[in-house]
Structures are given as structure tokens and as C-alpha cells.
Amino acid sequence: MSINRRDFLKMTVAGIAVGAFPGIAVAGSELLKKKGQRVVIVGGGFGGATAAKYIRDWSHNKVEVVLIERNAMFISCPMSNTVLGGSRKINDLTRSYDSLKKKHGVKLIQGEVTAIDPEKQTVMLSKGHLSYDRLIVAPGVDFMFDQIGGLDAKIADEKIHHAWKAGAQTVKLRKQLEAMPDGGVFAIGIPKGPYRCPPGPYERACQVAHYMKQNKPKSKVLILDANPDITSKKGLFMAAWNELYPGMVEYRPNAAVLSVDAGGMVAKTEFDDVKADVLNIIPPMKAGAVASMAGVVGADGRWCAVDFITYESKVHKNIHVIGDAVAAALPKSGHMATSQAKICAAAVIEMLQGKQPEQDPAIVNTCYSMVSDTDAVHVANVFRFNVEKQSMVSADGGGVSGKRSAEEGAFANFWLDNILDDVLG
Amino acid sequence: MIKKYLLIITCALGLALPAIHAQAEVDKHARNLAGSCAACHGTNGHSKSGMPTLAGLDRTYFVTALKEFKSGARPATVMQHHAKGYTDAEFELLADFFASQKVGKKH
């Protein structure tokens, strides 16, 4: 982000204080001349890219879609733990946005949003602005580095990587693992939920242990979990640790990392100081900064409340929020973001036409975790809109694998191919 | 016996539903429901990987398979979880949607 944390906090506070955004002047010229109805989408991850493609396709290309994304390429977080285990390279998870542009007519702007004016329905970028009829905010997560003493974005980038957004840090963490001595300790710090990808940290423990088993069998994975128990696929992960990597994975519940000493590579919990060869501390998370710019973050200061029929913000009309940033009893996963994006895309098209959106959404999450180079486990649920609760509720019958298998490992790889094609193809 | 009875109902519904939905260009509820299937089975059921293709599937076969996933009669890794989350009426909607997708064409 081109604005730093302090400016951004000031802006948010100012916004709350006067209930508007008086400090924001619409700067520069309209970047793209607006002719018909326009949806601007900020964030080209699983949710944002899906919404872009589906609004174009389902409106028969009648609605203009401008997608703003800071990165040149899409890198999949799902399956990125296998880069640590060694069965994939980061390039295997990297895709371009070309098809969205060429095949679907999405207008892509690579850049940073600097401000959003919900009243004037305008998104500001450094070079100008874009006006919208509806805005979709799909910012993913930002890390709350200030929750962990001694940690900040710079240290995370240079030494204590979270690698919780697939990309440069994923590759750096793999290099740290490769450079680690046999007999070393790789510590993973897990934040209290909700965080992106509930089973991800435990899958990561499997992938790191898989690498160690092949290359550094005296080494150990130490999981410092802020949560009171394994938050997802518990029995399946414990079976994988005990049976595939006996003696290599140590799990400590209620062990929130409170601070780190980057010099000495020490993570401090309430109970003890843990020295490790590699520290992989995943900080607590909140909705990405763009959500704060749009003024759609809830009273908890972290997540965005939405109407689950339309994904329209409970704070501002004409602004929708999808994906990890949403406050919901829904898992923060790639598949969930795409499922939300499609309901949102359908609703946005209907609302632009002055029609009522569909009132009975049912969406799915299927989440695979690779517990070795070949075997996977899953959790799968249908979530339905509950009118009384005005929220999405897990339907009957959801659940996890009976046991890990290579069959599910193959399905996990098929899943990745199809979801990436669905989002970007 | 019960199974046979269900099959008759399925077939009867199968004849009735397309007539209702023929009026609309696309049943948007069915389309939205089917949207969630794409992560595994590809856009509109056109799989680009080893996952089964749903596009162009015979609607009776589709409904029967989903009901068997739901009852547990048909073994599966994931599909029993999903099938239990949908109503039989939704199986019919999804069956219509996927059966109407042209094989070899994505949109």
C-alpha cells in the first residue's frame, strides 16, 4: 500500500468521527471514460477475479467491469504449502490475468487504491480516479503485526516469514527450510481464529515434516497454536503426524506467540521462550486495508458485515464485500471466496437492472489439505442462507475424509486445475 | 422397491420440469447453485482435469447418482457431504442445468 499504517488509521478515525470522508478530494481525471453501468472490483484474488469474470459473462458483457489488482500475476494460496514440501514450485501456482482481459473483456488496472469515497461512488488511484455504480471490495486479509511484539512487515519480509500470502515469502521460507541444519526446529505460530485457511497451518506442518523426513530426519516441527485445539480436520492431521512423521511434529495448544526476538530467533509465549532455526509466525489477520478505505469494517475493527443475499455491506449501499474480509461463520478459503463471488455477481447484475436478487443462496466449500506429497484429506460443506439468523449456516451432512488417501491427493490436484481455470480461464 | 418408486418419481419430475424452465432463458437459481460445483468440476461442469465432467450428463443419471450419494448407496470421498446438503428438488434443478450444457463448449 502506498499509504502507511499511521495515515490509514488517521483516515479511518476521521471517517468514524464525522461519519463521512470529508478529507478525500476526488483527484485527477477519470481513468477510463464511463459509458454504461460500471462495477469496479478492488482485489484480484479468488473472490475478486471470479466476480469480474462472472459479472461479464452473466450480464452478457453488458456491464463494464474494472478490476484493480496490485500484483501483475495471480498466485494461488491453496496448495502453496506444497512448495515447502517440495512437490510444487511457485511457478506451478502462478497464472496471468490475460484471459480475463482478452476472453471476458474485464478492464484490468494494475495499481494501488489510495482512497474510496462511498458518497461520490469513486475509487481513487495514484494516477486518477474511477467512478462506479457498484463497488466490490475483495481485499483478502492484512496482517496485524502490532499484535506480536518485535514483529513488523519488514521483519516478516526479511527474516520471520508468515508466507500466508503465496509468493515471495513462500519461496523464502522454503529456502530457510533448505538451509536449516538436520536436528533443527521449524516453529509455526498460529493465530487465534478466524484467520485465512483454517487447516492451512496444520497442512504446513505436514509439508515441512515431509521435507524433513526425506532430507533432515532428526529435525522437528513445533506448532505453537493460539487456539485451544486443532481448529480443522483434527483427527486426520493427528493421524498423519503420528503415522507418517512419528516423533517429528510437536503440537502445543493455547500457545499464542506474544512476541519475537528476531536477532535470537526466539518466539515468546505466555509460558516459555522457544528458540527455533526457522520461525514461521502467522500473525492475526483482519480485512485488507481497502475495506477500511471503503469504511465497511465492522465494530470489531477486523471484518465486514454483509447481507448474504447480495454481499452488500451493512454500512454502505452500493459497496459489496466478498471473500476472507467478510464477517461470517464461513471458512476463509479460496473456494468459499469464489462461491460468494458468484452469488454477489448474480445479485449485482440483478440490482443494476432494478430487479430482486435470488433469495435462497446455497454455496459450497471443498477444501483439500495435502498431508504428504501424494495423500490428501478434505473438509466439505454446503452453506445455506438462514432467514431467521440472516446468515449462512452449515447444512446437514458436511464433514471430513474418513482417512487420508492418494485418491484424494489426485482429486486435490484436479480441484486446483479446475478452480484456477474457473477463476481465470 | 422403494428405490424403484423413487426412480418413477424422478422420471415423472424429469418430464415435468423442463416444461416449466423452458420459458426462462436460464434458470438463475439453478445457475447460481451450479456455480459452487465449478471449483471441482469446472465452469458449467466442463472439467479441465481428471475430475468428472457434469456438462451434458443425462439428467436421470445425475439425479440418481446424487440420491445415491445422499443415501450412502454410492461410495464417494466428498460427494456424500455435498449431496446431503441439498434437497431432492435442487438435484432436479442441477440436473437440468448440467444436462443443458453443450459438451465441448464452455459457455
Side-chain angles (χ1 to χ4, degrees), chain A residues 108-130:
Chain A
L108 189 74
I109 294 181
Q110 193 191 339
E112 296 272 353
V113 169
T114 54
I116 292 167
D117 188 331
E119 308 302 328
K120 294 185 185 132
Q121 300 194 189
T122 307
V123 174
M124 262 64 75
L125 294 98
S126 57
K127 287 177 185 166
H129 66 267
L130 288 164

Side-chain angles (χ1 to χ4, degrees), chain A residues 192-209:
Chain A
K192 266 215 170 82
Y195 57 85
R196 164 179 284 181
C197 189
Y202 314 107
E203 177 194 54
R204 178 169 287 179
C206 293
Q207 288 298 318
V208 171

Side-chain angles (χ1 to χ4, degrees), chain A residues 216-292:
Chain A
K216 287 156 191 164
K218 291 180 212 150
S219 307
K220 205 169 97 172
V221 184
L222 175 61
I223 304 172
L224 302 170
D225 196 342
N227 299 286
D229 204 348
I230 297 168
T231 54
S232 178
K233 305 174 188 168
K234 180 185 173 184
L236 294 160
F237 282 123
M238 286 183 69
W241 296 339
N242 292 332
E243 293 159 18
L244 298 176
Y245 316 111
M248 297 179 77
V249 180
E250 184 187 335
Y251 177 76
R252 293 188 195 167
N254 297 312
V257 174
L258 304 176
S259 66
V260 292
D261 168 9
M265 289 299 265
V266 174
K268 295 178 181 183
T269 71
E270 191 186 343
F271 306 105
D272 51 8
D273 294 359
V274 175
K275 189 165 167 44
D277 298 274
V278 180
L279 274 182
N280 169 216
I281 306 304
I282 305 164
M285 297 164 210
K286 61 181 181 180
V290 172
S292 293

Side-chain angles (χ1 to χ4, degrees), chain A residues 54 58 335 339 342 346 350 358 360 363-364 366 368 378 380 384 396-397 399-400 411 414-415 418-419 421-422, chain B residues 28-29 31-32 35-36 38-43 47-51 77-78 81-82 84-86 90 106-107:
Chain A
Y54 275 79
W58 284 353
H335 187 176
S339 293
K342 289 171 191 177
E350 298 297 317
E358 188 219 317
D360 186 24
I363 55 174
V364 159
T366 307
Y368 287 101
H378 78 265
R384 312 189 70 102
D396 288 344
V400 301
F411 285 154
F414 297 156
W415 174 94
N418 273 344
I419 196 169
D421 184 67
D422 184 46
Chain B
K28 285 178 185 162
H29 182 50
R31 179 200 69 185
N32 295 353
S36 273
C40 291
H41 295 281
T43 305
S47 178
K48 297 287 183 75
S49 68
M51 209 68 91
T77 55
V78 168
H81 297 309
H82 291 323
K84 285 175 188 163
Y86 291 103
E90 287 170 333
K106 198 169 163 184
H107 300 293

Side-chain angles (χ1 to χ4, degrees), chain A residues 7 13 24 70 92 98 127 148 168-169 179 196 222 319 337 373 377 385-386 393 403:
Chain A
D7 288 343
V13 170
I24 301 168
R70 62 158 72 110
D92 301 330
D98 284 356
K127 287 177 185 166
I148 296 176
Q169 285 198 21
R196 164 179 284 181
L222 175 61
I319 300 182
D373 55 341
V377 296
F385 184 66
N386 183 298
V393 173
K403 59 177 170 51

